[in-house]
Amino acid sequence: MIMTRKPFFSIVIPTYNRSADLRFALFCILRQSFSDYEIVVSDNCSTDDTEDVVKKFHNKKICYFRNPENLLIDLSQRKAVERAKGTYVFLHGDDDFLPYSNTLEIVYKEIVEHTLGYVRINYLSLSLDKKRIFSFGTKQFINNEYLPTHATNDRVISFIIDSSHCFITGIVFKNVLPRHIRMINADPCPWIDILFYVTKNFGACIIAQPHVVASWSRREIAPNVEHHLFTLASGTLKSQNYFNALSRILSKQAYKKILHNQLMGIYVLLFPIIKINVGNRLTLQIASRIRSLDPTMSRDLRYWLYLFISLVFPRSLLRAARDMYLYMYTLVSKAEHNDEIVKTLKGLEREYE
């Protein structure tokens, strides 16, 4: 019997109709100085030239799979992770990339030195026009942050949430799990049970220096197609299983606080965006469901303000306000390591061409 040695990392990339972005993401991965990895590309039944783009690399490190039909995003991600053979899984979005060639090497050294179960690599964002680097929705750290094994459940979840746990690229976790620990059917964090298990039992680290660039690409939702997050199934939010997982883990008091904050960040502050994507009727239904999950939301003025704005203003005006806000934000937002990353990106562009 021939034993095949496992790679240290399985870099898992679920993808759908982003062949150009995927090509650049693969290009950056294949530049890595640390070479003990495989790349698992899980194609969610793309209709563009994704398969041809992957095959043109002619690289044995890349394992390409194609779903026979288009699946919900969380199910597609779960199937991709299940194909990973590596000791550690490195989650990677199809439109994000690693600007530095030593990223895997740095993560490997952290894991070996501290025997970690979970590593989060910090990230910055690239504007839609590809001209500006900025920080958006991420907590910036001066130094690496560590959490030892067997911290309290409340502390483990707080650490995971602080690590920007819902953003896919740069989430790295130990791929040795009990059978009952797996990805769940839930947006925005289907890997929450995995992250809790590996952090609780093996410890965790947040790498402070950004080693990931998140590309801001905008995929339009086709008419009559459900949004992956902003929808209801039999009156239930897509995030319900995520909240159920938190409720099993946390103390009652901690859960109430985190539930309120998470509902605020995932839904309430995005009511105008939800309106743009799904319209007034579904926005109202989502708002009602939020109040049933967290009755204290009715006393939060932000809830009513954002709901009023989303319902009163037309989609065209909300789109214009969104685009102006994002443009101004990218102009005024200052990110650490900005000049360094911009210089690196220019070098990457020359090499890529």
Side-chain angles (χ1 to χ4, degrees):
M1 183 177 178
I2 299 175
M3 299 296 290
T4 303
R5 192 180 70 85
K6 292 183 178 181
F8 190 82
F9 292 112
S10 285
I11 303 173
V12 176
I13 310 178
T15 189
Y16 177 69
N17 282 355
R18 280 188 178 140
S19 62
D21 292 327
L22 177 64
R23 181 171 179 262
F24 188 65
L26 291 172
F27 164 77
C28 292
I29 294 170
L30 293 170
R31 294 176 63 257
Q32 290 295 304
S33 57
F34 184 87
S35 60
D36 191 10
Y37 64 86
E38 66 170 357
I39 304 171
V40 179
V41 177
S42 179
D43 183 355
N44 197 17
C45 202
S46 295
T47 57
D48 63 4
D49 60 342
T50 291
E51 185 171 1
D52 291 336
V53 163
V54 173
K55 288 183 176 179
K56 283 179 181 177
F57 278 95
H58 302 290
N59 194 299
K60 293 181 179 179
K61 287 184 177 294
I62 303 175
C63 306
Y64 172 84
F65 300 90
R66 178 181 170 86
N67 293 329
E69 60 181 349
N70 187 270
L71 305 173
L72 295 174
I73 187 169
D74 43 9
L75 181 57
S76 174
Q77 290 171 340
R78 188 174 74 189
K79 285 185 172 294
V81 169
E82 287 172 351
R83 295 185 176 111
K85 300 186 181 81
T87 306
Y88 282 78
V89 171
F90 186 124
L91 298 180
H92 199 302
D94 58 1
D95 60 341
D96 307 319
F97 58 93
L98 309 179
Y100 302 124
S101 61
N102 66 341
T103 299
L104 292 184
E105 185 177 351
I106 287 173
V107 177
Y108 172 78
K109 288 179 179 178
E110 286 288 342
I111 290 172
V112 170
E113 181 177 353
H114 300 284
T115 60
L116 301 167
Y118 169 44
V119 177
R120 152 50 85 197
I121 307 166
N122 213 346
Y123 65 95
L124 293 173
S125 296
L126 180 65
S127 61
L128 282 167
D129 59 11
K130 311 296 184 185
K131 294 180 180 179
R132 290 175 292 279
I133 293 289
F134 62 101
S135 174
F136 187 88
T138 60
K139 185 175 181 180
Q140 297 303 306
F141 298 90
I142 298 174
N143 300 306
N144 290 0
E145 296 281 332
Y146 297 91
L147 187 72
T149 60
H150 304 299
T152 65
N153 290 2
D154 293 359
R155 181 72 186 95
V156 169
I157 292 299
S158 293
F159 185 92
I160 290 172
I161 289 175
D162 284 346
S163 72
S164 298
H165 62 313
C166 296
F167 176 68
I168 183 172
T169 305
I171 285 181
V172 184
F173 56 82
K174 193 175 182 68
N175 195 23
V176 180
L177 304 166
R179 288 188 177 183
H180 69 283
I181 302 296
R182 58 185 301 182
M183 291 180 61
I184 60 175
N185 179 16
D187 261 333
C189 188
W191 40 80
I192 183 63
D193 282 340
I194 294 176
L195 296 191
F196 175 75
Y197 175 82
V198 296
T199 300
K200 180 81 172 180
N201 291 282
F202 304 103
C205 168
I206 300 170
I207 295 178
Q209 182 178 356
H211 275 259
V212 171
V213 173
S215 293
W216 279 45
S217 55
R218 191 170 289 157
R219 181 184 290 151
E220 295 296 330
I221 305 298
N224 301 318
V225 174
E226 285 189 349
H227 191 279
H228 70 91
L229 178 60
F230 303 141
T231 189
L232 291 168
S234 301
T236 301
L237 296 172
K238 285 285 190 177
S239 57
Q240 189 66 58
N241 286 339
Y242 165 63
F243 293 125
N244 290 342
L246 293 180
S247 69
R248 292 194 303 268
I249 294 168
L250 294 166
S251 65
K252 189 173 182 179
Q253 182 177 2
Y255 174 67
K256 285 183 177 180
K257 181 178 179 180
I258 286 178
L259 174 66
H260 189 86
N261 291 337
Q262 291 285 284
L263 286 171
M264 187 64 64
I266 297 170
Y267 293 104
V268 174
L269 300 183
L270 297 181
F271 275 157
I273 304 302
I274 296 174
K275 157 70 174 285
I276 291 172
N277 281 280
V278 301
N280 276 347
R281 183 180 62 83
L282 193 50
T283 300
L284 276 170
Q285 291 175 359
I286 290 172
S288 176
R289 180 59 180 159
I290 287 171
R291 292 199 309 275
S292 68
L293 288 173
D294 178 14
T296 67
M297 198 65 73
S298 297
R299 302 192 295 272
D300 194 313
L301 291 178
R302 293 172 298 172
Y303 172 91
W304 296 109
L305 175 62
Y306 280 88
L307 183 58
F308 174 80
I309 291 171
S310 68
L311 297 178
V312 169
F313 292 100
R315 285 176 169 177
S316 57
L317 188 57
L318 291 174
R319 286 193 187 96
R322 175 199 62 188
D323 293 344
M324 179 58 68
Y325 169 78
L326 292 177
Y327 176 74
M328 295 303 298
Y329 188 94
T330 61
L331 287 179
V332 302
S333 175
K334 294 183 179 180
E336 294 290 334
H337 312 286
N338 182 77
D339 294 339
E340 176 187 345
I341 292 183
V342 169
K343 182 179 179 181
T344 300
L345 291 183
K346 289 180 179 178
L348 273 176
E349 289 173 358
R350 289 192 296 268
E351 186 179 342
Y352 184 63
E353 293 173 356

